[in-house]
Amino acid sequence: MTATKGDLHRFVTRYVGDADEALDLVQESYAAAWLSIRRYDPARPFGAWLRTIALNKCRDWSRRRRVRRLVRGVMGLDAPEAVAIGDAAPGADVRFDERRRLERLNRALAELPDGQRAPLLLAVLEGRSQAEIGQILGLSAKAVELRIARARKTLANKMGPSK
């Protein structure tokens, strides 16, 4: 299954928590894939190869971001990009509560260790099987299963009751 630009953008946006940064990272991923296309192994699914490149770009971005925070002395969390809610039917208070919960979820996702965040996003956001995720991340299907379970437990603990 070849990753579409939209699928890749959704994955990267969830990973980094910023839609604008995600656009840049997706573009960097496609550029990196183009530059290293000779190293692509046709025996491996192209989507998995591209997703691995994107995941590495996300990890690099996260490391650079942490370094910038330390250098500037800014240790607060950046507010995640607001995600528009498609249905205008709910009242303003319901939309506000949904937006706050989504912001909490994005913050909690951003705080997950990389080893838990990537498998969870690939499974939940993209509906990939544990075998596919294992292929992308270089893990066994059982390791993927364990990491997803841990990520869900960590998120449940972080989300807890609404504040």
Side-chain angles (χ1 to χ4, degrees):
M1 171 184 194
T2 301
T4 65
K5 185 177 179 182
D7 292 338
L8 195 59
H9 182 258
R10 274 189 297 280
F11 171 74
V12 173
T13 299
R14 285 288 184 199
Y15 193 95
V16 301
D18 183 323
D20 292 331
E21 289 289 339
L23 283 173
D24 291 341
L25 291 169
V26 167
Q27 186 174 1
E28 286 178 31
S29 299
Y30 276 107
W34 175 257
L35 291 173
S36 61
I37 194 70
R38 291 178 189 228
R39 291 186 300 207
Y40 169 64
D41 177 9
R44 203 173 155 206
F46 183 78
W49 181 70
L50 183 58
R51 193 81 61 219
T52 301
I53 292 171
L55 184 57
N56 288 333
K57 294 293 178 189
C58 290
R59 289 172 176 158
D60 291 344
W61 178 87
S62 293
R63 280 190 291 273
R64 287 190 311 266
R65 183 172 171 215
R66 278 193 298 270
V67 168
R68 281 193 304 266
R69 276 187 184 166
L70 289 173
V71 170
R72 287 188 322 228
V74 179
M75 301 307 282
L77 293 174
D78 295 334
E81 194 69 31
V83 178
I85 299 170
D87 187 4
D93 56 335
V94 172
R95 287 193 316 264
F96 179 75
D97 289 342
E98 288 174 349
R99 199 169 304 134
R100 282 186 53 195
R101 182 162 169 76
L102 184 58
E103 288 172 357
R104 286 181 57 227
L105 177 60
N106 283 336
R107 280 194 303 274
L109 279 169
E111 293 171 2
L112 280 178
D114 182 54
Q116 292 178 8
R117 185 176 1 155
L120 180 69
L121 291 177
L122 288 167
V124 174
L125 214 82
E126 298 188 6
R128 293 189 178 266
S129 70
Q130 291 173 358
E132 288 176 307
I133 296 167
Q135 197 170 34
I136 291 169
L137 300 177
L139 300 169
S140 69
K142 191 65 178 170
V144 169
E145 179 183 357
L146 182 62
R147 289 179 184 206
I148 290 171
R150 286 181 181 160
R152 286 184 170 151
K153 183 176 180 182
T154 302
L155 278 180
N157 291 336
K158 286 180 182 278
M159 293 298 290
S162 294
K163 293 180 182 176

